[in-house]
Amino acid sequence: LITGGRHPFLGKYKVGFSKNGIIQALDIKLYSNAGWSLDLSVSVMERALFHVDNCYYIPNVRAQGFLCKTNVVTSTAFRGFGGPQGMIICESWIERIARTICKHPNEVRRQNMYTEGQSTHFNQVLQKHDVTASRCWDELMQSSDFKNRSQLVDEWNKQHKFKKRGIAAIPTKFGMSFTARMLNQAGALVHVYKDGSVLISHAGTEMGQGLHTKMIQIASNALQVPMELIYISDTSTDKVANTSPTAASVQSDLNGGAVLNACMQINERLEPFRKANPTDSFKEIVTKAYLEQVNLSANGFYNRPHIGYNFKTKSGVPFAYSVTGAAVSEVEIDCLTGDFQVIRTDLVMDVGDSLSPGIDIGQIEGGFAQGLGWTTIEDVVILKNGMMHTRGPGAYKLPGFKDMPIHFRVNLLKDAPNPTAIHSSKGIGEPPLFLGSSVFFAIKEACYAYRSENGIKGWFRLDSPATCERIRMSCVDDFTKQFLKSYN
């Protein structure tokens, strides 16, 4: 096997907090398994360090990252790019704080969430559109009926000995931009033809995420042309040069800005003809402009010059804005086998004023599925000689339709415009992935219920992914006690 996967992470932390659960300080060290070569490991670690706080204000932070060279295939970029690894470690110690002071994890999470004007550990002051996690959270608590369902879960657990249910809520805050300043730019080429049709070339690659559709919508709105008259040419550097990677969840922002810029140039040239012929169709306007030798092509460009961060001086603005959300998942586990079923997931996501709600909801559902797989069933097994054992579908399990929640409810936060991106929207590619970890923490809650009935109290460590084996061994009883020493 020559292709790498997501970086495995280990987090070692010390956390200071008040008796009421207010976080005061965090000292954390992140270790990533980079594999045998560097690849993108530095950038992945940088994003992980940016996200060790998730949604929470921590006044004193020391965060350090270490890349570990090992005898395995090189780890590389994957959806989330280090952010989910930093956030799941954060949520683990948040849950540990709650267990230590005997409070519900939801209370600790909600009371520590960022508010407008507070500064992150990397010295970026958060604006109103960055701190909507609390709004998503409060709306989710209502729509998911969390309080009543928690009581029903407790009652259900009392009536079932070897099957237990758990319910957990997890928020997320994902910074949006390339952390490398020069990548935050995009170009576009827009041609308008005499028959009223439009051809767009832009710098982004369509890979099923709906990017081309959003570009067509932006051009349709800007030029006031029906979408069926707009076409997209294959992405190519002979049309748009010096393209940035289609990554970081900001391609709608960057390429959309470039397409809009090109369309506005064309609109400016067509404006005299529109004023002189207010009842003419777009095709008629374009024909008149052509006869008057007006250029009907435009090269658009968009950039974010203020984005960039200096790790030496700890200064700069690494992110244009943040995408936030929250999810509640309820699961049922078989304590004798470690098998589990996701009963229901409720999710609220802030995508600003969505460019295309259907596409964004699809991205949220897909991201959640990947996060669910990452934190539960996708266990990468490496042999001592560095050989990967999980090399095919017989050994490596991806989420299937039976792994998805039986009831899956996704809502977009309303009245949350984002003034820093095109048409007040927000990117959505990577941010929802981490919300799949709500299943992981719900599984852990179910394990707590079984352990409690067997006289085992207090916090315990559950590594991700929560495979059937780990779930079974976490449901400690007389049977598992025989193997705990060798298992650990």
Side-chain angles (χ1 to χ4, degrees):
L1 189 70
I2 61 173
T3 58
R6 184 188 295 276
H7 287 70
F9 266 64
L10 171 68
K12 296 185 177 181
Y13 55 82
K14 294 180 180 178
V15 185
F17 53 92
S18 70
K19 62 181 180 180
N20 295 322
I22 301 297
I23 305 166
Q24 303 292 342
L26 171 66
D27 185 1
I28 187 167
K29 294 179 179 179
L30 299 180
Y31 300 85
S32 76
N33 184 345
W36 68 272
S37 67
L38 192 60
D39 198 70
L40 289 167
S41 297
V42 172
S43 297
V44 169
M45 178 58 76
E46 287 176 353
R47 184 164 280 272
L49 291 171
F50 280 131
H51 288 79
V52 294
D53 58 338
N54 196 10
C55 299
Y56 312 112
Y57 174 64
I58 312 171
N60 304 286
V61 178
R62 179 170 63 185
Q64 299 171 275
F66 301 88
L67 308 181
C68 304
K69 185 176 182 179
T70 60
N71 67 334
V72 302
V73 65
T74 299
S75 299
T76 188
F78 192 73
R79 193 174 191 174
F81 205 73
Q85 292 96 311
M87 289 187 282
I88 196 170
I89 294 169
C90 171
E91 291 300 334
S92 295
W93 56 256
I94 285 284
E95 184 245 343
R96 192 171 185 178
I97 289 174
R99 294 284 169 181
T100 301
I101 62 175
C102 300
K103 291 183 73 171
H104 196 283
N106 284 8
E107 294 183 53
V108 177
R109 290 185 171 107
R110 182 62 181 86
Q111 69 186 7
N112 283 289
M113 286 184 183
Y114 279 114
T115 58
E116 183 180 357
Q118 288 182 326
S119 179
T120 65
H121 61 289
F122 46 88
N123 298 321
Q124 179 169 344
V125 177
L126 298 179
Q127 307 302 317
K128 182 179 180 180
H129 54 270
D130 297 315
V131 294
T132 53
S134 55
R135 281 189 58 196
C136 293
W137 182 271
D138 294 343
E139 182 176 313
L140 183 67
M141 290 297 108
Q142 293 294 323
S143 63
S144 67
D145 196 21
F146 188 93
K147 186 175 181 180
N148 290 331
R149 286 172 58 199
S150 294
Q151 295 172 354
L152 292 174
V153 165
D154 291 339
E155 291 298 320
W156 195 92
N157 286 338
K158 291 176 183 178
Q159 299 169 17
H160 298 79
K161 183 175 182 180
F162 295 115
K163 287 195 173 183
K164 298 296 177 186
R165 290 184 177 179
I167 185 170
I170 293 293
T172 189
K173 177 180 71 66
F174 194 90
M176 301 294 283
S177 282
F178 286 103
T179 50
R181 177 177 176 270
M182 73 285 187
L183 296 180
N184 292 289
Q185 58 178 306
L189 182 62
V190 176
H191 297 306
V192 177
Y193 294 88
K194 289 183 293 182
D195 63 356
S197 63
V198 179
L199 179 64
I200 299 173
S201 299
H202 63 85
T205 300
E206 174 63 57
M207 58 188 85
Q209 81 277 40
L211 179 61
H212 283 352
T213 302
K214 287 187 175 182
M215 297 304 101
I216 290 173
Q217 289 176 310
I218 290 169
S220 174
N221 181 70
L223 296 173
Q224 293 299 296
V225 180
M227 289 179 60
E228 55 266 24
L229 292 179
I230 303 177
Y231 301 87
I232 297 278
S233 67
D234 290 337
T235 303
S236 177
T237 53
D238 66 354
K239 305 295 190 303
V240 180
N242 306 314
T243 61
S244 296
T246 301
S249 306
V250 291
Q251 296 311 301
S252 294
D253 296 355
L254 300 179
N255 293 293
V259 168
L260 180 61
N261 177 255
C263 291
M264 297 312 291
Q265 293 178 45
I266 294 172
N267 277 340
E268 186 176 350
R269 298 168 197 164
L270 295 179
E271 185 61 24
F273 301 92
R274 282 177 165 149
K275 285 184 177 180
N277 306 277
T279 61
D280 281 7
S281 67
F282 183 74
K283 178 181 177 181
E284 293 169 330
I285 292 293
V286 167
T287 301
K288 288 181 171 64
Y290 169 77
L291 293 174
E292 293 298 325
Q293 300 178 322
V294 172
N295 181 8
L296 296 176
S297 298
N299 175 28
F301 183 74
Y302 179 82
N303 68 342
R304 284 175 170 160
H306 65 286
I307 297 299
Y309 191 77
N310 189 318
F311 275 88
K312 291 183 179 180
T313 62
K314 299 183 180 64
S315 62
V317 180
F319 304 120
Y321 60 90
S322 297
V323 173
T324 65
V328 167
S329 289
E330 182 180 347
V331 304
E332 181 180 313
I333 68 171
D334 187 326
C335 302
L336 300 181
T337 66
D339 194 17
F340 71 92
Q341 174 68 62
V342 186
I343 298 171
R344 175 177 164 181
T345 292
D346 297 76
L347 193 152
V348 176
M349 203 85 198
D350 172 21
V351 296
D353 292 341
S354 175
L355 293 174
S356 182
I359 289 176
D360 287 346
I361 288 174
Q363 284 290 293
I364 291 168
E365 292 172 342
F368 179 90
Q370 282 191 308
L372 184 156
W374 170 57
T375 56
T376 58
I377 61 178
E378 296 184 46
D379 190 21
V380 179
V381 179
I382 306 292
L383 305 180
K384 289 184 178 180
N385 63 359
M387 177 69 72
M388 183 179 291
H389 173 66
T390 45
R391 284 178 290 172
Y396 188 80
K397 302 301 181 183
L398 295 170
F401 61 87
K402 289 192 68 176
D403 298 302
M404 295 301 290
I406 297 172
H407 302 283
F408 197 4
R409 310 176 186 192
V410 177
N411 290 296
L412 304 181
L413 189 68
K414 297 179 180 179
D415 301 321
N418 171 31
T420 66
I422 185 167
H423 297 328
S424 300
S425 64
K426 287 188 175 184
I428 196 56
E430 294 167 295
L433 184 140
F434 179 65
L435 296 181
S437 69
S438 60
V439 174
F440 172 86
F441 287 98
I443 288 172
K444 194 171 184 181
E445 289 296 322
C447 292
Y448 275 120
Y450 186 79
R451 292 164 68 94
S452 178
E453 288 187 3
N454 285 275
I456 301 171
K457 306 293 183 181
W459 178 87
F460 74 98
R461 173 174 169 173
L462 176 61
D463 290 342
S464 172
T467 59
C468 292
E469 177 188 0
R470 286 176 177 156
I471 294 172
R472 179 63 186 101
M473 294 305 293
S474 296
C475 294
V476 179
D477 51 27
D478 291 338
F479 179 77
T480 60
K481 287 178 181 178
Q482 304 174 70
F483 312 104
L484 278 179
K485 187 175 181 180
S486 59
Y487 179 76
N488 291 332

